[in-house]
Every structure is written in C-alpha cells, then in structure tokens.
Amino acid sequence: MTDHKVRQRHGIQVMEPPDSVQNAPILDEKKTIGHTKKYTKKRIVSNSALAILTLLSFITRFWKIDYPHQVVFDEVHFGKFASYYLKRTYYFDVHPPLAKLMLAGIGWFLGYDGHFEFDNIGDDYITNGVPYIGLRSLPAALGALLVPLTYMIMIESGYPVITAILAAGLVLFDNALICQTRLILLDSMLVFFMLCTFYCYIRFYKYRLREFSNEWWFWMIASGVTLGLTLSVKLVGLFTVLTIGIAVIVDLWNLLDIKRGLTMDHFKKHFYARAIGLIIVPIFVYLFWFYLHFAILNTSGPGDSFMSPAFQETLQGNVMSLESLEIRFNDTITLKHKSTSVFLHSHPQRYPLRYNDGRISSQGQQVTGYKFEDANNYWLIKPAKIFMDPSRPEDDFVKHGDYILLEHINTETHLLTHDVASPLMPTNQEFTTMPKDDDSRYNETVFQVLIDDGDSDTKWKTKSSYIRLIHFDTKVALWTHDKLLPEWAFKQQEINGNKNNVEKSNIWIADQIVGKNVTKPLTPEPPKRHLPFFAKFFELQRLMLSHNSGLTKPHPYSSTPVNWPFLVRGISFWTNNNDREQIYLLGNPFTWWISVGAMAVLVGVLLADLISRRRAIHPISEPVRNRLLNSGLFFFMAWFIHYAPFYLMGRSLFLHHYLPALICSYMVAAVVFNFMFVDSVNYPISVTGPRKAPRIVAKAVVKDITVITCTILLAISACVFYYFSPLTYGTPGIEPEGIRSRMWLDSWDLHFQPKRHDA
Amino acid sequence: MDTLKRRHFTTTINQQQFSKSGYEQVPLDPIDFDENGKLYKPLRLPENKILAFWQQYNDILIPAFFTVLSFWTRFYLISYSSFVVWDEAHFGKFGSHYLKREFYFDVHPPLGKMLVGLAGLLAGYNGSFEFGSGEAYPADVNYAFMRIFFATFGAWMVPLAYFTAIELDFSQHAVILATLMVLLDTAYLCISRFILLDSMLLFFTFTTLFFLTKFHNQRNDPFSIDWWLWLILTGMSIGCVTSVKWVGLFVTALVGLYTIEDLWDKFGDLSMPKTVYLKHWIARIVCLIILPIQIYMLCFAIHFAILNKSGPGDAQMSSLFQAGLRGNNFYGNPIDLAYGSKFTLKNMGYGGGLLHSHVQTYPSGSKQQQVTCYHHRDSNNEWFIKKMREENEENEEENNSTDVEFVKHNDIVRLVHSSTCRNLHSHHVNAPVTKSQYEVSCYGNEQLGDQNDYWIIEVVDDLLENTPRIRVMTTRLRFRHKTLGCYLRAANAVLPQWGFKQVEVTCDKNNNPSDSHTYWNLEHHWNDKLPAGGSAHYRTLFLHDFWHLNVAMYTSNNALIPDPDKEDILASNPWQWPLLQVGIRICGWDDKAVKYYLLGNPIIWWSGTASLVTFVFLFVWHLIRRQRQFHDFSQAQWTHFLYVGKICLIGWLLHFMPFFIMGRVTYLHHYFPALYFSILMCAFVLDQLTSSCNQITKHIVFGISYLAVILVFWYFKDIAFGFDYPSSELKGRQWLSSWNLVD
C-alpha cells in the first residue's frame, strides 16, 4: 500500500496528501540508528572539522580586538547610536534599529551609560571610559560564527566535507570580512542573519517530502524570523527577502504543476502556510524592533528635527511641547527658515539700482536672511482686513489659511514682493518693503499663512508649526537659500519668492513672540501628545527611505559596484602616523578573484549545458545537473540579488556593501570546486517522506586530487591573508617598501606609500 | 525545409482548431471548419451592388478611408502659425546649414536633418533664415511646404498601423481600433505638423515594426522572394531609424531580440540541416547588421559630402578634417612650432576638443583656475609656448632678436594661457571627476611659479613626414609633467555645471603610450617671425571622421544632463509619461498668438497603459491555468498570444525603461515611440477579452471604444490644430492639475 501510494506521486493522478505522519518517527528512528553506526567515522570527521574551523574563526576575529583603542571609521555613527539608546534620547538613522539595539544591549549589560559621543575618528576609548572591547565582541562573535554557518549550509546542501571546508575556509581567511566584523559596525549582524536565513530555508526545503510536519513548520517559521531579523538590521535585507521570495515562487510553481498531483485546496494550504511563515512573521519581527525603538527613545534628542511637529511633541522635554505658544494677531514675532536657520530680516539699506550682471532692481528696502538675534528681525502680524471675517476679535488666534500683513517694526514698513527679479536668481521674485501708510500696493503686501498638515482650525504656534507664507498676488512662497548677497547687503542671505510654492524648503517657523516668555518647568513634563505606533512607524519609514537615497554626498572612498568583485579599491578606516599603522578595508585578493572566476565558470557551464541540451545532447548526469541548478543557481542568484541592485542606487556606495554578496560568491566557488573535483554528488538529500525507505541514487566520491586542490587553495588563501593582515588588524606598522609590495593594484590607495621619485 | 513546412502543417490539422477571432482562415482540404467546428460556408456576395462592392473591396477601402483622413488631419491648417514653433528653431537651422553647405555639429545623426535640407531645397528656400525661436517666418520662406513634407511622414503612420495590426492577426474590430488611435492621438498629430525629426523617427519606427511582422509571417517559407524582401526592408528600416535619432536603437533592439529568439528556436530544431541553419544566420547578419550599418554610414558620407565649407561645428572635428573644409583660415599657419608662438592645442582622442582655460576656479581641490577642453572657437583656447623660467632669464635678450628657436622633442617648456597669463600646472591634487588622476589647473604668472609649471614635449610621430621639428596639425605630441611624470589627458569626462559642462583635463599617472586621449596636435598657429605655411595637402579617412563624429555626438549627448540649478519647465520625468501627467507648451502663450499644446489624447494614453498591465495579468492567469492543465488555447494560439504580447510589451519596455537609466534630460515626446506599442497592446487585449463574446457584444464594446476615442479627440482637437483664443477658455480641458494648459 505504502509503495503503491508513493509511486503514484509521480503520476498524473491526484493523490491525497499524506495527512498522518504518526508512524514517521518510528521509521525515522530506525533509520537514524542504522545511519549512526554506519557513519560514525564520517560524523567525527565532519564535527571536528567544524570545531577546528570555528576555533580558528574566533581566533582570527578576536585577535587584538582591543586595538586600536580609538574610534574607527563608521564606529562614529553606530557607537553613537548605541549611546543614544542608553541615554534614551531620540535619534534618526537611515537603518532599522535591530543591530544598534543589540549593541546598546551589550553596552547596558556591561554597565555603560552612553556618555561618550563618538564624535571623531581617532577619539580615544580608554580615556573616555567606554567598554569598547565588549561592544566590539558582539559583531566579532557574530562575524566568527559566519564560518561555521557557511560550513553547515554547505553540508546541509549535500556537499561532502571537503567542499564545505573549502567554502568555510574562504570565509575564514577573508581580510575584508574580518576587518569589517571586528569593529562596531552593522555588517556582521546583517551577514550573520542572512546566512541564518539561508540555513533555515535550506533545512525547511529538505523537509519538503514531509509537508506540514513539525520540523517543516519549525524551519519555515525560523526562516521567517531570521528573514525579519535580517531586514531589521539594514534595508539591504530586502535583497535577502527577494532571494528567498524567488526560491519560494519557484517551489510553489513546481507544486502547482498538475503532475505533482496536488489538489488546488492542498496547494492553497501550501500557499497560505508560506504566506504566514515568510511574509507575516517577518513583518511582525520587523515591527517589533521599531516598537522597542520608540518605547526606549522617549526623550527629546538630536533626531527631533527630522520628524514632524506632531511626532516631536510625543517626546519628553521637547522644545515644541515646552515652549510652543499660540500666536495672535498684533503679536510681534521672529520668523526662522527651517532648513537654513536664518531669521527674516530687513534694514533701511536699499537694493542697488543695477547688479553686476546688468539687471536692474526696484531699489526698494532690502529684505535678507540674518543668522543672529536682532531687533531688525521683529515683525508685527496684522490681519489683512479685507479678507478677514469681521466677526473675529482683533486679537484672535492666527489660523491656517489666514491672510496677514507683516510690518517690520523698526522701519515701519510692510513686507512686499513683486514681479521683479531677485538679486541672485533671475527666476525668483525680489522681496522688499513698503511704508506702512502707503496703501497704493496693498494687494502686494498680503500673504497667506499655510500650516503644514493644517486645516482651517489649526492655530499657528511658535516652534511647533511649520508654515509656508504664500504671496496673495503672485502665489510665490517666501523662500531663502544658502547663497549670500554681496557686500552691499553685508553678506547676508538672499530672500526671494519661489514660484514652486509647494517645495519643502519653503518652510518657516515662528521662533518666538517678542515679550512673551515661557516659564520653563523644572521637571520635564510628560509628553503632551500620544501618537499611535503605526503613525510613527510609517513616518519613520518614509524618512529613512528618502534620506537613504539622499546620501549622495561624495566621499573620498566611495566606489562604484563594478569595481567590487575585482577588488579594485578599498577603504581607509583608520591611520596612526606615528607607527605607520593603518586599517584599510581590503579583501583577500586571492579569494576574491577565485570566487569571481568560479562564478564565470558556473555561468559558462550552465550556458554550455543549455546549448547542448538544445541539440539533445546531455553532457552532465542528472543528479549532478540537478544539484548545480538548484543549489549552485540558488547561491549564484543570492550573489546576483545582493549585488546587482546597487547599480540602480543613486546614493554613494562603499566596498563593504559587497560583503553579503561576497559570502554567496564563496559558496558558488565551493559549488564549482565540487563540480570540478568531486565525482557525482550525494543525491537525494531531502529528508525522505514518512512512508518511504531511504534510497541513495548517487554518492559523492572524494579523490586525492580533491583533497590536494582544496589544501593548496586554502594554503594560498591563508598566506595571502597573513600577508595583508597588518592592514586588517591595524598593527604592526608597515614600512613604505612593504606598502609598495602590497600594492598589487595601483588603485589600492594605501597610506604611507613611498614618495614617488621623478621618472 | 520540406519537413519544416510539414511540421507546422500537421499541427494545424491535428489541433483542428482555429482562433476564435482574427486568425486568418486558410482554406484547407477537404472541408473547412468555422469557429464552432461546423462546416465553413464560403462567402456569398449579397445582391445589393453597393454592399457587394464593399464586401469585395473593404480590405482596400477601409485603409484608404483612414489614409485620407490621416492626410486631412495632418495637413489641415498647417500654416496657421507663421512663427518658428519649438524645435523648428534647431532643425530648421540645421537644414539651412545643408543649403549653405556649412559644417555644423549636432547630437543627432544626419538623415532627418538632411531631409529638412531637402524639404527646404524643394521649397525654394535659400538657407538665409536664422530660425530664431518664436520668430515670424519671412515671406520668402515657404514654411508651409516644409511642414507638409514632414506631415507626409506623419500621415503614413496611420496606414502603417492598419497593416501592422492586420499582420499581427488582429480581428477587424481591433485593427480599426488601433488605426483610429494612431489617427486621433493629439500628440502624434501635433508633433507631425512641424519641421521636427519626430515624425520621421515615428515613421521609421512604424515601418520597422511593419516589416518585421511581415517577415514573421513569411517564417514558414524561408528564403523565398517575399522572405528576403521583408528581411531586407526590415534591415533598411533599421538603418533609417537609427540615422534619424539614436532612439531608433530601441526598435533595433526589439528586432534583435526577436531574431535571437527565432535563431534559438531553430537551433533546437534537430531536423534542420546545419547548412540551412548557417544560412539563416548569414541572412540575418547580412540584412540586419551589415546593411543597417552601411545605411547609417552612407548618411554620414553624404553628410560630409554636402557640408564642405567651414562652419560652426568645425571644432568638434580633428584638425586635419577642418583643414579639408573650404573657407577655414588654417593656410596662414606657420608650419613649424617655435618658442614664443601662440597656438591652439587640439586633443586627438575621438571627440577631443581644444585645450582651454578661463578665469573661473575649481570649486574644490586646489581652487585654482580651471583648465578644460572646449569645442568652440574662443580666444581662451590660445596658449603661448615658452622656455623654462631659468633659461628664459638667461636668454632674455636673445628672445627679443629675430632669431627663431624651434621646439624639439624632449624640450622642457612652459605653456602660458594667452588671456590670463597663467601657466599650465599640475600637482598632487586629485582631479574633480576622474579622481584617480591629477588635477590640471592654471597657476601663477610670468614671474610667479614653480617646477610644477614645466612640461616635457614628447613627439609621437608625424602623420606626413619625419621631421625633427614640430609641425602644425600633423605632428602628434604628448605632454609629460616634469615633476609628476604624468601625461596631459582629456578623455571626454564632462565637468558639472561649475565647469560649464566642458570636458575635464587631467594628468594621467599611468603612462599608456597608445592612449590617443593623451595625444595632442597644434591647430592654429601664429608667429610673426615665421613665414606663413603653404596649403599642404591634407586628407583624412572617412572612417576616422565618421567614428570621431559619433564619439563627439555621444559625449555631447551625455552632457545634456538636467541642470539642478535651473528649472526646465519643458522637461519631465519618465514616470510622468504613461499616465500623461504632463503636457508641453511648444510656443509662446500670448492670448492672441496661435498656440499648440503637446498633449496626448488622454483616453488613448490611459487605456494603453492599462492594457499593458492587463496583459501581464492575463499572461500570468493563463500560465497558472496551463500549469493546471487547462488549455484555453491551442498550441498555435498560445504561440501567437505570446508573440504579440512579446512584441508589444517588450517593445514598450525597450522604448520606455532606458529613459530611467539615462542621465540626460528627458521630454514628453521621448515617450511617443513607446506609445505605439501600448496602442497595439490595447487593441490586442480588448480583442482577447472579448474573444468569447458574441458578435453583437463585440460590436458594442468596440463601438463604445471608437466613440470614446473620437469624442475625446474632438474635445481636445484645438490644442493640436492650434488655437488663437485665450487659453483660459480651455479651462474645462485641464483634466489634471499637473497639466499647464491653463495658467
């Protein structure tokens, strides 16, 4: 009966799902007992290899982890963010919170209070009392675990021990991975969780013949959780999501095939199971860290100004909730430009009749942006009577949409703009003022107050309302930018009218009401406002995305993706001029280049196979081909997805963005090695179905040449690693001659190069 | 070949199924089936003579009717605006250059502009008008004729669309819908009515697709006369479309992908003899690669042949090419370079310009005076050659005498910029764009300076004869920096706005002796002490000039990037196009002026985009059903469904996606070729969706579609035909707030 059913699976007939798996464990146990006896020796070899690799990995990652005792490269950012969690002050970063929360957790555990600001590269940790070794141990430990993880992924994928050793060895001896993971940076968490995801998914997939069993569910949920964790470290985790997503779609597509014999209902069960495990679960994991993020960061901090006023009011001790006052007509205020922090200012001097470029001005009174407090920044808000509802009292609150006049107190003039080009930008309108008793150009002095996200009942408040001032007559917005006017305006900032009146840079804030002070309460008040979690969450996601794509500021060590696989250039992390020491992020050139070569070989082999199959020639045996297509192509796809999207990104990119892809390329290299030097493969490797005896169709044959090649490759890797290790660990210092001999490519811009002599 | 033919034949018989609509009914022996599997009844002509005539000739009458309408819409009121509208300013001017035979430079290949010249010639225009933007045409310029010339190309788009739809096996309803959409799209209409390249680009895009579908339908009869004819015509059409604008490369890519897939299919056909397969390859290489390249080059050959006088575009070309143009002033140049000479220095790399400097400084790096490569004549291109300061002082008196000392190989010299008196200088500062090389600047003056002002002249060779001296134009030079050992180089990297988009000049640390971007030659040369040179016989190779010009076009095209400091109201982002979120005012917006607004027919654009999405859903839906063994289509129908889908969807993607990647500034009219594919997709998808409906439902559905297209066109027609009333009267037509039809 059992036999009969199993055979049917491959037929066209629809088979009922194996709904009962009760007797499975019994079979399984028997099988395992048999296996243990048979494979004890193999197990010992495999486990001891794993142990040795892990040990070596921890040694290489933790060697001299206390050196340098200074802030290195991006520790500036991530160390700082961890400190903010410990101080519970709000900050803003483009990356999700998990990795920084983990660092903060370690810091909290070690009793660090977050007092250090990590301001500059080179600041000393010891004198500032930062438990930096503890902080660095976390990424280093996770970085060290990458080696055993790689090993286990390869073993689970059905490769012999020697192939797994090669893959893990390549990871072990990679200078870039070591360098990047033993500092307070996010990448080791990212890569660690990424590999965990792959490991769990592969375990899950191997249970495909025991659908809906406990193990099946466990590994799927585990994949979902680790996927969520990857995403919570950096948004690059989306590439991992895409990789797993494609694997799942291919899997589902095969299940959908009528030849597999699943009914539509059964298929839907598969579909919904994966939707829960691999979509819903990761989303909840992702949300959870943000929940924690908001819960911890409840105090006002450096990240306030990135957020909306409503958000800021939820933070304790925020200026907005403390010092915000409602503005009434006939109040005198100062107006501050949000992005450049200058006050709207005017003084009796006039615009020159003719500018240097020959254009002509109105010769009106100058209106400028001024950085400092000054009585010339005072403006009186008057209602524009003709637009005003007469029933409103004289000193009513100013609300969204109200029309106002702004009187400059010191010169008794009204702010005005008109269709005259501004001093610096011919496209924008000039701002000037008009004596207040002159009504001839009344319309040109009327402005409308528009409060961001306001409706007609929103009151204009100091500090907390973001407003745009739109000119009634010409619809331009009051605007300024960081260009300074010439001497005739005392090098103050230009103010002009922006025709694009919805731009974000049009935002102004009423800084204070002259003569009205807020008495500061002694104890920080509890936040005035509560925002639902999702409102905060989505606001932060939007900001993260927009700031991430806005990171375009050129950096001397940024590079383009095309250079990464070939290791054209590294990044200088840290230097010490006294001892000629430096940390320079550079991969192990040998392992980087063989992994690129291996990928080229894989593509070549698959193309050749495709072409010959088209001519009905089948050069590769079915199990080997299957493995190459499933496992090899999966790793290759993982490499491609973690690499290619960077070409489309506009932001500045760095070599360490390649590290997730790099690990995938090492696994591809091992797959290619296996294809070239190991005969056949272990097949099948999936856990057998509940009612079927294990069968072995093919077994990998490891030959002497396999072992020799692997040893040679790893030996060279180790030598090259050792040769470049001073750049990785930052010590010892290297003489200029040593630098020159290590500059295998001219484009590696190491420090302390010998001075170039005249040719 | 026989086997191949039979293969298809047998499948058809076995399936015994015909498409529900549109599939051409081929009479088969011995009995024919209609769509329900019943006996196929041959058509009987009705009694009524008019109806009979209609039935017999409707495959001619319908396209003829649309063609007439097409010509009428394109020509109607064509001379209404007697002003230079929009880019007529550019293309009219280029046409004038052909008539005056003056060499000019532009980023587009020459075919379209040569036709502008031809149109001008036929119109009796003498090339004297400047085509200033917005200017009124003078009485002696027959602009109406020139516009009609281009509108003719635009008018032929309609019958081409009709027959393409037929070749794609659309139903009669869908064929008419596609034709109607091409006919009544206000954007196609508007852009066809002026002296612009777009109508030609669209025309050749349409012909390419038409010939390709024709060729596809000959696939079962390879190497027949018809097969060759359509293959060759496809190739010629590719050549023409790329010779108008490089955007034509997208439709070329479509043909390329089609061909690759076709050859891949044939590769898997084990019954095909290898020689036949090889023949397939050769036929395609000859017709689709070699032939188009020949046409493209021919256009340039004619271009060079016509433009034989010196003109505004000279400086883009090599010095020797310029010397071959009539009317340049190179003949007065003294031949050999001597100390104290003033000269201009031309980079010999493809697309190289003249060494240039101006008072503006680098915003970063050394903040010294900029040095660039510039492609236009300017007094800032002029340099003096001097000796090292140390030697100069010793020989102060000698310099004043009439003795001339010629410059030799390996001399150490100083190059002094003539208008600012600063020295060409390089130092340990990274260049602004090419960071791996050193910056080159202008620094100091006659007295002030350092060792970094010195360059060693290396002579590479002389194109004409061996001489120890350095000859103007023919000697190839390199400049090595004395202290850094790097080479002066300009390799078409464009500086940002602060450098006026001119080409960056760097000092290359790597000595690469074969890099032509480090080669320079003297172009102009002035020295009062030397006699004027004679008219040496300069000659250049066509291939060299051709390649040089193309590189220059490519470089300039890349320099057309949006300027962040300047808001270009006409430009738009690609993502705004498929939903028609923008329109363009293509002329002045005075209340009384004749105004045109470049905006598509909204219903056509929106339904086109919707149909692309619908197709993807349809495709996935059918794919899933097939995976579950529900076969809604016969194999032939499925192949055809995929074929049309691939042509339309991939064609659309190829014409649309590249604009996202391109750095250059993009305009609405860049979407027009892609629109054609979405129109075809729209007709196809509607055909698919109604395929199971009965005839009456089809009549109703398509009838409503026709009506919608016609009514919306009628509502919007004035923006394409031109209107001279205030735009505020069109307030109701401003359907989207992002259109700027009304202020």
Side-chain angles (χ1 to χ4, degrees), chain A residues 451-469:
Chain A
I451 301 172
D452 239 26
D453 302 326
D455 53 46
S456 58
D457 280 335
T458 316
K459 290 171 190 164
W460 183 10
K461 293 189 264 183
T462 57
K463 309 273 190 197
S464 66
S465 302
Y466 290 174
I467 64 138
R468 286 175 296 133
L469 220 48

Side-chain angles (χ1 to χ4, degrees), chain A residues 309-450:
Chain A
F311 188 102
Q312 295 185 33
E313 285 179 34
T314 65
L315 297 168
Q316 264 178 28
N318 183 264
V319 198
M320 294 205 168
S321 43
L322 291 182
E323 299 179 9
S324 178
L325 285 173
E326 283 149 353
I327 300 171
R328 293 165 185 272
F329 288 113
N330 301 319
D331 275 344
T332 301
I333 60 160
T334 55
L335 264 182
K336 196 176 200 173
H337 187 239
K338 178 165 177 271
S339 47
T340 60
S341 294
V342 294
F343 292 105
L344 181 67
H345 179 99
S346 182
H347 40 227
Q349 282 78 6
R350 298 190 159 255
Y351 290 113
L353 175 61
R354 198 179 271 278
Y355 301 124
N356 282 343
D357 59 357
R359 285 184 298 116
I360 290 183
S361 83
S362 68
Q363 265 194 301
Q365 180 174 322
Q366 292 174 14
V367 174
T368 63
Y370 187 52
K371 279 230 173 333
F372 308 98
E373 301 266 355
D374 186 285
N376 272 333
N377 301 341
Y378 294 167
W379 300 85
L380 174 68
I381 301 179
K382 303 205 271 190
K385 291 264 163 50
I386 48 168
F387 300 101
M388 193 63 175
D389 179 0
S391 64
R392 285 171 70 176
E394 274 284 296
D395 59 349
D396 194 12
F397 296 110
V398 186
K399 289 178 183 163
H400 174 76
D402 278 348
Y403 290 93
I404 59 164
L405 274 61
L406 284 173
E407 182 189 326
H408 188 240
I409 300 274
N410 279 5
T411 58
E412 304 198 328
T413 52
H414 283 152
L415 186 71
L416 167 148
T417 179
H418 48 185
D419 194 6
V420 172
S422 83
L424 301 182
M425 293 176 69
T427 49
N428 288 19
Q429 285 192 16
E430 177 194 272
F431 265 83
T432 179
T433 62
M434 206 65 199
K436 69 174 178 182
D437 38 7
D438 184 354
D439 271 352
S440 60
R441 300 173 67 183
Y442 183 79
N443 273 355
E444 290 173 286
T445 58
V446 177
F447 292 86
Q448 188 180 24
V449 179
L450 294 179

Side-chain angles (χ1 to χ4, degrees), chain A residues 127 222 269:
Chain A
T127 52
K269 227 172 127 188

Side-chain angles (χ1 to χ4, degrees), chain A residues 42 70 422 511 571 576 653 705:
Chain A
K42 243 188 163 169
Q70 290 179 352
S422 83
D511 194 53
I571 305 174
N576 171 7
L653 297 167
I705 180 82

Side-chain angles (χ1 to χ4, degrees), chain B residues 696-722:
Chain B
I696 293 170
T697 325
K698 281 186 195 173
H699 281 315
I700 294 170
V701 169
F702 278 95
I704 291 171
S705 319
Y706 300 158
L707 208 61
V709 171
I710 294 168
L711 288 179
V712 173
F713 167 76
W714 197 255
Y715 190 55
F716 279 96
K717 67 180 190 323
D718 280 3
I719 62 169
F721 287 135

Side-chain angles (χ1 to χ4, degrees), chain A residues 54 147 229 328 382 492 651 738 758:
Chain A
T54 314
V147 174
L229 294 175
R328 293 165 185 272
K382 303 205 271 190
Q492 291 172 8
R651 60 162 284 181
D758 195 1

